[in-house]
Amino acid sequence: MKPLFVLLTMFGLLAGSTYFLDGSANFVFAGNGAMAAMLLFTGVAHFAFTKGMMQMLPDFLPAKKAWILATGVLEIAAAVGLLLPALRPVTAWLLIAFFVLILPGNIIAAQRHLNYQTGTLDGLGPRYLWFRIPLQLFFIAWTWYFALALPLYLAVFPQETYFIPYPLNYLFH
């Protein structure tokens, strides 16, 4: 999935860049910057693939085009909010709620075999959910960790320069 590729690639680039520029990786910046890049990518997709994405919405929902465009704008705004430390906590909580709220649209798309990029019904179908639901949980966990938990940890323990699970802490140290 392209958003996951954008997220992980940008995280690697940002963490590596801060390591080489500052002597230690800034994981708060890298994690939030990577999520911001992914949100810009997916937010712009709402404008590029509006017709297909409109088919992801429940039939009872009116003004489908307005909903798709509004959620695209919200994703772009969330990208900006994650990059601004003063807005990051509220943005993170709203983004977590957003990730939960859009999951039904992905379920509808899978049930309809929707290919949202083309607007046709030749998509992967329900097997897509075996990837999409864990991915959605991963995005939620990522947002919580890099926008809420890690900054709080570093505020409480300022002498620590990072807090990364064991296999990764040697990568940037």
Side-chain angles (χ1 to χ4, degrees), residues 140-164:
I140 290 168
W142 184 286
T143 301
W144 173 82
Y145 181 77
F146 287 107
L148 298 168
L150 184 56
L152 178 61
Y153 177 84
L154 293 173
V156 173
F157 302 103
Q159 71 278 8
E160 297 291 326
T161 57
Y162 62 89
F163 180 67
I164 294 296

Side-chain angles (χ1 to χ4, degrees), residues 4-5 29 38 62-63 68 95 99-100 103 105 121 141 151 154:
L4 180 61
F5 177 77
F29 172 73
M38 188 204 77
I68 295 303
L95 188 55
F99 285 143
V100 171
L103 188 57
L121 301 178
L154 293 173

Side-chain angles (χ1 to χ4, degrees), residues 5-172:
F5 177 77
V6 170
L7 180 71
L8 297 177
T9 300
M10 287 304 298
F11 180 75
L13 289 172
L14 293 171
S17 296
T18 58
Y19 176 79
F20 289 114
L21 293 173
D22 297 334
S24 66
N26 183 335
F27 292 109
V28 172
F29 172 73
N32 287 292
M35 180 57 73
M38 188 204 77
L39 289 168
L40 287 173
F41 178 79
T42 57
V44 168
H46 285 238
F47 297 93
F49 305 116
T50 306
K51 183 179 177 184
M53 287 189 176
M54 287 170 49
Q55 296 177 55
M56 296 174 75
L57 298 176
D59 292 332
F60 66 83
L61 196 64
K64 288 178 176 41
K65 184 174 184 177
W67 280 101
I68 295 303
L69 298 177
T71 54
V73 170
L74 285 174
E75 288 186 20
I76 293 167
V80 173
L82 287 177
L83 296 176
L84 302 173
L87 297 177
R88 188 175 295 140
V90 70
T91 300
W93 285 116
L94 292 172
L95 188 55
I96 288 168
F98 176 77
F99 285 143
V100 171
L101 291 172
I102 64 170
L103 188 57
N106 288 291
I107 293 169
I108 290 169
Q111 290 172 335
R112 294 178 179 170
H113 291 261
L114 176 64
N115 178 339
Y116 74 87
Q117 292 182 348
T118 63
T120 58
L121 301 178
D122 60 356
L124 295 175
R127 69 179 180 202
Y128 167 74
L129 295 177
W130 288 105
F131 178 73
R132 184 59 199 204
I133 291 173
L135 180 65
Q136 204 76 4
L137 295 172
F138 178 72
F139 290 159
I140 290 168
W142 184 286
T143 301
W144 173 82
Y145 181 77
F146 287 107
L148 298 168
L150 184 56
L152 178 61
Y153 177 84
L154 293 173
V156 173
F157 302 103
Q159 71 278 8
E160 297 291 326
T161 57
Y162 62 89
F163 180 67
I164 294 296
Y166 174 75
L168 297 178
N169 64 1
Y170 289 104
L171 184 61
F172 295 106

